[in-house]
Amino acid sequence: MAQIFTVHPDNPQPRLLKQAAQLLDNGGLLAVPTDSSYAAIAHLDDREAAEGLRRLRGLDDRHHLTLLCRDLTEIAHFAKVDNRQYRLLKAATPGPWTFILEATKEVPRRVSHPSRRTIGIRVPSHPVTLSLLEQLGAPLLSTTLIPPNETDALNDAEEIQRLLGNHLAGIVDSGACSRTPTTVIDLVDETPVIVRLGAGDPATLGLA
């Protein structure tokens, strides 16, 4: 079963996050709280990571995985961002948004969409997730933690342990978070397209 790390939601203990990060370094998958719902995460440079996340969710390789980044500077390293896109990203991050953008060469092909060469990108605002990203000093590959054949995201560590504990190396528990996933916006074309309506209100970005 997955190892559970109980951390403070606002001031997570660095010692415990370091232990959780070690599981990622060893090729494991973690469940972590975000500002939308729990997410499953893995190292971007782990060759088995994308397949492991897709297997956990029951997804095929056409489903966008998401890079959790620390800030806009890190986003620009992994996604091609023009001035129009940058203004929208700056207004929305950090927060419960996922943006689909064209991937740079820094993103392994096994991770990006197979035909469009795109990737999901987001900067979460949850203190625990941000602290873990700072601990690692690199973005993490992620997907919303929704069990196969289900529609609702998981938000409770005990429930995650019961349903998916055999498939995870660890669970970072800082208490329940929202069950609402991020709002997903495709920014590849000139006109932004709302792919999924979630926790982020598009009206706050001037989008219908």
Side-chain angles (χ1 to χ4, degrees), residues 60-80:
D60 62 31
D61 64 359
R62 300 184 68 82
H63 182 92
H64 276 102
L65 296 175
T66 298
L67 287 185
L68 296 179
C69 296
R70 289 173 287 177
D71 51 35
L72 288 173
T73 301
E74 197 163 65
I75 285 178
H77 190 63
F78 293 94
K80 297 178 181 179

Side-chain angles (χ1 to χ4, degrees), residues 6-113:
T6 303
V7 303
H8 192 279
D10 298 315
N11 297 291
Q13 302 91 318
R15 174 182 58 85
L16 295 179
L17 292 185
K18 185 175 182 179
Q19 293 174 13
Q22 186 61 52
L23 296 180
L24 291 172
D25 291 340
N26 293 337
L29 305 182
L30 291 185
V32 297
T34 76
D35 46 350
S36 54
S37 63
Y38 264 79
I41 60 171
H43 265 310
L44 174 61
D45 58 2
D46 187 329
R47 294 192 63 85
E48 302 298 323
E51 183 58 33
L53 291 175
R54 291 185 176 114
R55 196 163 47 241
L56 183 71
R57 286 280 314 277
L59 303 169
D60 62 31
D61 64 359
R62 300 184 68 82
H63 182 92
H64 276 102
L65 296 175
T66 298
L67 287 185
L68 296 179
C69 296
R70 289 173 287 177
D71 51 35
L72 288 173
T73 301
E74 197 163 65
I75 285 178
H77 190 63
F78 293 94
K80 297 178 181 179
V81 180
D82 61 23
N83 290 336
R84 171 187 61 87
Q85 294 163 335
Y86 181 84
R87 286 192 295 271
L88 195 60
L89 290 170
K90 187 175 181 180
T93 58
W97 306 87
T98 299
F99 296 98
I100 297 173
L101 294 160
E102 185 178 353
T104 67
K105 293 181 180 179
E106 300 301 320
V107 178
R109 295 197 70 86
R110 65 181 180 276
V111 169
S112 61
H113 190 281

Side-chain angles (χ1 to χ4, degrees), residues 110-138:
R110 65 181 180 276
V111 169
S112 61
H113 190 281
S115 59
R116 298 184 66 203
R117 191 75 177 104
T118 49
I119 186 73
I121 295 274
R122 69 170 300 216
V123 179
S125 63
H126 197 291
V128 172
T129 314
L130 284 174
S131 295
L132 184 59
L133 288 168
E134 289 293 342
Q135 178 86 238
L136 292 162

Side-chain angles (χ1 to χ4, degrees), residues 116-196:
R116 298 184 66 203
R117 191 75 177 104
T118 49
I119 186 73
I121 295 274
R122 69 170 300 216
V123 179
S125 63
H126 197 291
V128 172
T129 314
L130 284 174
S131 295
L132 184 59
L133 288 168
E134 289 293 342
Q135 178 86 238
L136 292 162
L140 287 164
L141 196 60
S142 74
T143 184
T144 304
L145 196 56
I146 303 174
N149 304 315
E150 298 290 336
T151 57
D152 293 331
L154 299 176
N155 78 332
D156 177 78
E158 290 186 4
E159 185 181 22
I160 294 168
Q161 179 76 294
R162 180 175 61 83
L163 295 175
L164 298 173
N166 289 330
H167 306 285
L168 296 165
I171 301 168
V172 180
D173 179 12
S174 64
C177 58
S178 169
R179 282 188 183 269
T180 306
T182 59
T183 292
V184 180
I185 301 178
D186 191 327
L187 294 181
V188 174
D189 295 325
E190 180 97 15
T191 303
V193 176
I194 299 171
V195 178
R196 180 181 71 194

